[in-house]
Amino acid sequence: MSLLPLIFTAGWASGINAYAVVLLFGLFGITGLSDDVPEGLQRPDVLIAAGVLFLVEAVADKIPYFDSFWDSIHTVIRPASGAVVAALLAGSDGSLPQLGAAAVGGTTALVSHLVKAGLRMGINTSPEPASNIIVSTLEDLGVAGVITLAVFHPLPAAIIAGVLLIIGIVLVVFLAKRIRRSWRRFRQWWESRQRPALPG
């Protein structure tokens, strides 16, 4: 595998759904479809944990406003996962220093995560939940498709990931007002959950 394009793509995908990235890489490795997947990603405990958390995220990511709460607690998790996956890939290849690979993977994951979180806040201004479900499903399918392509054709996958990242950044800038409005609503939603219920 071409390592740098693969690391960039894995970072982009980790910023959207880190658990899916770990699960997919692990499955490609354990089934023998790819000989280049690090052993650390093929461990049964890692695959089970990633699978369970992927299923939890598949539900949480489709609930309006709760998806933004989920994104907020993953602001550290997704970049960290992108950095770890990148370091493991570099360690199994040896052509790139692990620290540099981790920096590329983690930084790309952070930017991708911030774009995802911003776009989802903009989408939360819609009054119906269907848009959240559709966008979340498209994100999951996009991550699966791009990671699958990256395992076999890293450079085209990295180009696609880069284009999608740029489009996402442009959309976040375009939807800035809606995102700010959604942020205010999210804060109100969160504060309402913190207030104790009044006795009936």
Side-chain angles (χ1 to χ4, degrees):
M1 290 187 286
S2 300
L3 194 58
L4 193 56
L6 182 65
I7 285 173
F8 175 81
T9 304
W12 169 82
S14 295
I16 298 171
N17 192 326
Y19 307 123
V21 172
V22 173
L23 182 61
L24 285 167
F25 273 130
L27 289 175
F28 279 122
I30 205 168
T31 56
L33 291 173
S34 174
D35 297 326
D36 300 311
V37 176
E39 290 185 7
L41 296 177
Q42 300 182 48
R43 289 170 40 185
D45 57 333
V46 172
L47 287 173
I48 291 170
V52 170
L53 290 168
F54 169 75
L55 292 175
V56 172
E57 178 156 296
V59 175
D61 202 45
K62 294 173 177 60
I63 303 171
Y65 292 105
F66 187 80
D67 62 346
S68 291
F69 167 73
W70 186 260
D71 284 338
S72 68
I73 63 176
H74 280 74
T75 301
V76 173
I77 296 172
R78 288 171 182 156
S81 179
V84 169
V85 169
L88 288 172
L89 290 170
S92 67
D93 180 273
S95 62
L96 276 179
Q98 285 185 296
L99 186 60
V104 172
T107 302
T108 307
L110 176 61
V111 175
S112 177
H113 163 75
L114 293 175
V115 168
K116 171 195 164 92
L119 289 176
R120 297 305 287 276
M121 293 196 88
I123 290 167
N124 277 335
T125 59
S126 301
E128 34 68 40
S131 54
N132 293 74
I133 296 172
I134 292 169
V135 170
S136 177
T137 302
L138 289 174
E139 287 172 350
D140 293 342
L141 292 174
V143 165
V146 173
I147 287 295
T148 299
L149 179 63
V151 169
F152 302 104
H153 304 287
L155 185 56
I159 292 171
I160 292 171
V163 169
L164 291 173
L165 186 60
I166 292 170
I167 291 172
I169 292 170
V170 171
L171 286 174
V172 166
V173 173
F174 182 73
L175 296 172
K177 288 184 179 179
R178 291 184 66 176
I179 292 169
R180 284 194 294 269
R181 187 163 66 247
S182 179
W183 172 247
R184 289 193 294 269
R185 291 181 182 177
F186 170 70
R187 288 180 61 186
Q188 292 169 356
W189 173 85
W190 176 247
E191 288 168 1
S192 70
R193 295 297 185 277
Q194 305 306 304
R195 297 192 197 104
L198 295 174

